[in-house]
Amino acid sequence: MTPETGTMKRFGRARKSISVSGGELVRVTPLTEGTRAVACTPTVAGLDAREWLAGSGRQLADLRAEHGAVLLRGFSPLDAEGLGELATAFSGELRDYDNRSTPRTRVGNNVFTSTEYPPDQTIPLHNEMSYTASWPDTLFLTCLVPAAEGGETPLADSARVHDRVPAATRERFERDGVMYVRNFGLGLDLSWQEAFQTEDRDEVSAYCERHGIQAEWLGGERLRTRHVVQATVEARASGSKVWFNQAHLFHVSALPDSVERELRESFSEDELPRNALYGDGSPLDPADLAHIRAAYDAEEIAFPWQAGDVVIVDNEQFAHGRRPYGGARSVLVAMA
């Protein structure tokens, strides 16, 4: 995915009302042209999304299931506690961020900051925790402070991404799966203590055994894990086959060229801080990675955040990412 350009799709282009619902409290419109994601805006000033959720039955859940991603705009702003309450009311229970792959800060009861990577970096489109065999089905994001420039959270329909990936690439990934290799203790990525949220090696080993992760302690603080999991899944809400892995994000080629060169000069393939391989352990074909990234680029949609926005994402049906930004930016996330 490339940084923000003048060809970005913008929120609100070619908007066309498709329903008025919830006792005419909320209007539902397409998020952008050419996507099934929708935006919900209140027809009554100051409406609280938690109150609307409580009084509208399954309407919001049905919108998430049918459309995959729902933007709530114009509702009363939510803080971390409010986002947690909305997500809990919607899903019943929030999940912790276990087996972490990125730095985040807990700001509430299973409410976290979005990934704390430097603002000049792009976070490629991906489905949350699709590098594991157990992932959240719904993400809840709210914008407290929009960036002065950029900082969008782009989305992509995972079924459409799947269909754009060439058949030969899909077949190879579906046959073999994806192997994620992580080397902790090198000082170049998360420590195993942060990734697994414990100082106890026995707890880490037990976690890995429960989740089918091969763990190898290498001396000192070094730990190597290998985990082979799915490349595609059938989305539970839609029944559609979706592209569902982070091979293109974990692979060392996702890093800037100079960083990739330096790492490859310093480490062998299985010693890199993190990397992705085919499930049989063989290196990924650069052509396959190029096809995958092109599919995401073709399906990317984006809208500029506004303070108080909430986005509810079916994590199987839609991928998400982050564009580089300037100025302050604060986005919170809860997972269920």
Side-chain angles (χ1 to χ4, degrees), residues 22 52 104 154 173-174 184 203 218 243 255 264 274 299:
W52 173 56
R104 294 182 184 172
F173 274 87
E174 288 187 324
F184 301 95
E203 286 186 17
L218 301 173
W243 193 253
L255 298 169
R264 287 194 178 278
R274 69 170 71 187
E299 292 300 333

Side-chain angles (χ1 to χ4, degrees), residues 6-17:
T7 60
M8 168 195 330
K9 300 181 180 70
R10 288 289 184 179
F11 169 80
R13 189 174 73 176
R15 292 177 67 188
K16 176 183 177 184
S17 177

Side-chain angles (χ1 to χ4, degrees), residues 95 97-101 127-136 180 182 207 211 213 227-230 233 244-246 250:
R95 69 171 288 164
Y97 182 34
D98 58 328
N99 192 4
R100 299 184 178 194
S101 69
N127 303 87
E128 190 67 29
M129 297 186 71
S130 56
Y131 58 89
T132 73
S134 175
W135 53 85
Y180 300 96
R182 302 179 70 179
Y207 179 97
H211 292 85
I213 302 170
H227 198 194
V228 179
V229 292
Q230 72 290 319
V233 297
F244 198 78
N245 64 79
Q246 292 189 24
F250 262 72

Side-chain angles (χ1 to χ4, degrees), residues 9 25 35 58 66 79 86 94 136 170 196 221 254 299:
K9 300 181 180 70
L25 289 176
T35 179
R58 286 195 48 82
E66 179 181 356
D79 57 11
L86 176 70
L94 302 185
R170 291 201 308 264
F196 295 100
E221 293 298 313
E299 292 300 333

Side-chain angles (χ1 to χ4, degrees), residues 62-187:
D62 290 343
L63 287 171
R64 167 204 166 275
E66 179 181 356
H67 297 282
V70 183
L71 168 67
L72 307 184
R73 171 164 287 177
F75 291 82
S76 297
L78 300 176
D79 57 11
E81 181 179 2
L83 181 67
E85 290 172 351
L86 176 70
T88 300
F90 183 96
S91 298
E93 184 179 356
L94 302 185
R95 69 171 288 164
D96 201 351
Y97 182 34
D98 58 328
N99 192 4
R100 299 184 178 194
S101 69
T102 62
R104 294 182 184 172
T105 300
R106 187 188 302 272
V107 295
N109 182 23
N110 285 341
V111 176
F112 302 87
T113 59
S114 58
T115 294
E116 296 171 352
Y117 279 168
D120 63 332
Q121 294 185 9
T122 293
I123 299 177
L125 287 157
H126 63 284
N127 303 87
E128 190 67 29
M129 297 186 71
S130 56
Y131 58 89
T132 73
S134 175
W135 53 85
D137 63 5
T138 308
L139 309 180
F140 304 82
L141 300 98
T142 190
C143 179
L144 304 183
V145 180
E149 180 181 3
E152 299 89 349
T153 297
L155 303 170
D157 188 319
S158 298
R160 293 174 62 159
V161 172
H162 172 274
D163 292 347
R164 280 188 178 272
V165 174
T169 299
R170 291 201 308 264
E171 290 166 4
R172 175 71 190 270
F173 274 87
E174 288 187 324
R175 182 184 72 239
D176 296 336
V178 181
M179 177 186 289
Y180 300 96
V181 181
R182 302 179 70 179
N183 282 281
F184 301 95
L186 300 174

Side-chain angles (χ1 to χ4, degrees), residues 18 36-37 55 92 100 125 134 207 240-241 246 271 273 312 318 327:
I18 56 178
R36 59 195 178 92
R100 299 184 178 194
L125 287 157
S134 175
Y207 179 97
S240 299
K241 183 69 73 68
Q246 292 189 24
E271 292 177 333
I312 299 170
F318 268 80

Side-chain angles (χ1 to χ4, degrees), residues 23-46:
E24 299 199 349
L25 289 176
V26 170
R27 184 175 299 275
V28 183
T29 56
L31 179 58
T32 68
E33 182 181 9
T35 179
R36 59 195 178 92
V38 294
C40 294
T41 54
T43 59
V44 177

